Amino acid sequence: SDASLAEESSVLYCAIVFSVSPSFNAISSYFVSLYSALKKSINNMITTLIGAIANVVVSILLVNYIGLWGAILGTFVAYFILGIIRMIDATRFIKMKIDVGRFIINSIILITQAVLVSLEIKIYLVSAIAILLFVVVNVKFLKSLFGKLKGSKS
């Protein structure tokens, strides 16, 4: 029935948004703390404005089709955009190597896992594959990190 389909869609949107959005919010917040430390509040204001505009535009476009969930997905998209913009912008002030392509690949893995787990499709298998993919995509970084940790304990 249409009611049960709407309820299933609602649960799916909820699971995806509430399981993935905190990750993008955390990334965005991390870069806000860098802006604060560097006294770059204008950058925080500009990127926040861009995120707000993205939120409003996406929300308006989606609300007509999926109701309240359009606004929720608008917020999710805004956090994603905000994270990417702040990552790129921060490299102008701090020497850091950010692989935006790898960030996007990791995001796709995370979102795909959230969707499949929300649909209750082989939850453990999907999660194991997602972990494996995260390791494969980030193997160079993980080797470097563990090498540095091992070296600091000596």
Side-chain angles (χ1 to χ4, degrees):
S1 80
D2 287 343
S4 67
L5 181 61
E7 186 177 319
E8 285 179 28
S9 295
S10 192
V11 169
L12 177 62
Y13 290 135
C14 183
I16 294 167
V17 170
F18 293 132
S19 65
V20 178
S21 284
S23 299
F24 296 118
N25 185 21
I27 291 165
S28 177
S29 296
Y30 170 77
F31 288 101
V32 166
S33 66
L34 285 179
Y35 286 151
S36 295
L38 296 168
K39 300 186 183 343
K40 300 288 183 187
S41 57
I42 191 77
N43 296 73
N44 183 29
M45 182 188 74
I46 291 169
T47 57
T48 299
L49 184 61
I50 292 168
I53 291 168
N55 190 346
V56 169
V57 168
V58 172
S59 296
I60 288 171
L61 291 174
L62 294 178
V63 160
N64 291 328
Y65 298 103
I66 56 176
L68 175 63
W69 290 105
I72 293 169
L73 287 174
T75 301
F76 166 76
V77 169
Y79 280 138
F80 182 79
I81 291 170
L82 208 49
I84 289 176
I85 290 171
R86 286 179 175 165
M87 263 193 271
I88 294 168
D89 187 48
T91 61
R92 296 184 316 139
F93 309 110
I94 295 179
K95 184 182 175 185
M96 65 171 74
K97 191 172 149 186
I98 296 176
D99 187 341
V100 175
R102 190 174 62 193
F103 171 77
I104 291 171
I105 291 169
N106 282 321
S107 298
I108 290 168
I109 295 168
L110 179 65
I111 293 166
T112 302
Q113 180 194 19
V115 169
L116 295 175
V117 167
S118 298
L119 292 170
E120 298 180 359
I121 297 174
K122 306 217 184 254
I123 295 171
Y124 296 111
L125 178 63
V126 165
S127 296
I129 291 171
I131 291 168
L132 180 65
L133 288 172
F134 280 124
V135 170
V136 169
V137 168
N138 298 290
V139 70
K140 189 175 180 182
F141 169 76
L142 292 171
K143 282 182 180 179
S144 171
L145 178 65
F146 288 125
K148 288 176 183 176
L149 289 174
K150 186 177 178 185
S152 69
K153 289 185 178 183
S154 303

